Amino acid sequence: GGFGLVSILRTSVRENTYGFVIYQGSLILENSHVALNWYGIHQPFFGQSTLILHSVIEDNYVGLSVSDASPVVQDSLIRRNSAVGLSFSEADPEVVRTTFENNGIGISGPGNGYGSLRLIDSAVLRNSTGVRVPNMYSGFIEIVNTTISGNTGGPIAGIAMTRGRVLLGNSTVVGSTGLSVGGIGQGDDDSVNSYTGFEISGSIIAGNHSASGSSDCGRLGPGAPPQIL
């Protein structure tokens, strides 16, 4: 729709190409179920506020995809989406008390652009890659009081970052298995600038595994050593 607000309460949206498409408007989705669509919720550009509360987004190809928007997801479950649970580009999602489980990729950041993510009091479990940040020119990923565990299959299974900034605070990255790094790491792209890297405080990164290379931490930045507080 156009500019305006749509509020959906206690509704099931299933087996469509798109469960919801939001153009230049706002969506409040509460206590609802979005399943078996190609895209569960798609906000392609110029979105206003999207609020997802106490809802389940599952068994879609893409669970939630947002651009040019700042959605808030709280107290929800995003699982078994075959490509990705949450994909964002040029957007600033905030995710609180939400579980990403058994998706292709749990959360994927910008492929070529900017954006930020705040992931708080949440869990990212048993995806092929937990959190993936392929190519972020500005912004940051902030992960606080969150567990990332049991992710298996990606080159870097827990938190995989090529270009961008990851702030990891009071969180746990355990029990993931990657092809080259089990826990966290930055891909081998020496063209990135010194902005790229991890800042880690009060966190546990342990008990991860890899087929070859580093079990817990791979390379954490191309320039100066990572800041571990």
Side-chain angles (χ1 to χ4, degrees), residues 18 22 38 57 60 90 92 101-102 107 153-154 157 170 172 176 180 205 218 228:
Y18 295 96
I22 307 160
W38 183 40
I57 302 172
N60 306 282
E90 301 182 4
D92 303 294
E101 187 172 10
N102 287 320
I107 301 169
N170 299 316
T172 302
S176 293
S180 59
I205 305 168
I228 302 176

Side-chain angles (χ1 to χ4, degrees), residues 54 80 87 105 126-127 148 210 212-213:
H54 305 287
R80 298 195 307 263
S87 174
I105 298 171
R126 293 179 287 279
N127 308 279
I148 298 173
S210 66
S212 62

Side-chain angles (χ1 to χ4, degrees), residues 88 105-111 129-134 141 158-162:
F88 69 96
I105 298 171
I107 301 169
S108 184
T129 297
V131 179
R132 179 173 174 263
V133 189
I141 305 294
I159 304 172
M161 180 264 293
T162 298

Side-chain angles (χ1 to χ4, degrees), residues 15-196:
E15 299 183 71
N16 303 283
T17 302
Y18 295 96
F20 296 94
V21 182
I22 307 160
Y23 293 102
Q24 301 180 342
S26 301
L27 170 69
I28 298 175
L29 183 71
E30 187 171 1
N31 291 313
S32 292
H33 184 215
V34 182
L36 299 170
N37 306 284
W38 183 40
Y39 276 66
I41 300 173
H42 184 45
Q43 189 164 7
F45 60 88
F46 301 129
Q48 298 180 50
S49 59
T50 294
L51 179 60
I52 300 171
L53 302 171
H54 305 287
S55 293
V56 177
I57 302 172
E58 64 181 356
D59 296 319
N60 306 282
Y61 178 67
V62 173
L64 171 61
S65 173
V66 294
S67 299
D68 289 307
S70 301
V72 175
V73 182
Q74 293 183 357
D75 302 299
S76 294
L77 174 60
I78 300 177
R79 67 181 176 186
R80 298 195 307 263
N81 299 286
S82 59
V84 60
L86 165 62
S87 174
F88 69 96
S89 181
E90 301 182 4
D92 303 294
E94 179 176 299
V95 181
V96 183
R97 296 183 302 276
T98 292
T99 296
F100 296 81
E101 187 172 10
N102 287 320
N103 301 285
I105 298 171
I107 301 169
S108 184
N112 189 9
Y114 64 86
S116 296
L117 166 72
R118 299 187 73 221
L119 181 63
I120 303 168
D121 296 329
S122 295
V124 183
L125 310 173
R126 293 179 287 279
N127 308 279
S128 66
T129 297
V131 179
R132 179 173 174 263
V133 189
N135 204 7
M136 178 182 287
Y137 287 98
S138 65
F140 58 88
I141 305 294
E142 182 180 12
I143 301 172
V144 179
N145 293 331
T146 290
T147 297
I148 298 173
S149 179
N151 302 286
T152 302
I156 303 173
I159 304 172
M161 180 264 293
T162 298
R163 181 195 299 263
R165 196 79 185 163
V166 177
L167 314 177
L168 184 65
N170 299 316
S171 295
T172 302
V173 183
V174 298
S176 293
T177 301
L179 299 177
S180 59
V181 178
I184 69 174
Q186 186 248 338
D188 295 330
D189 183 355
D190 289 316
S191 67
V192 298
N193 58 32
S194 59
Y195 169 78
T196 291

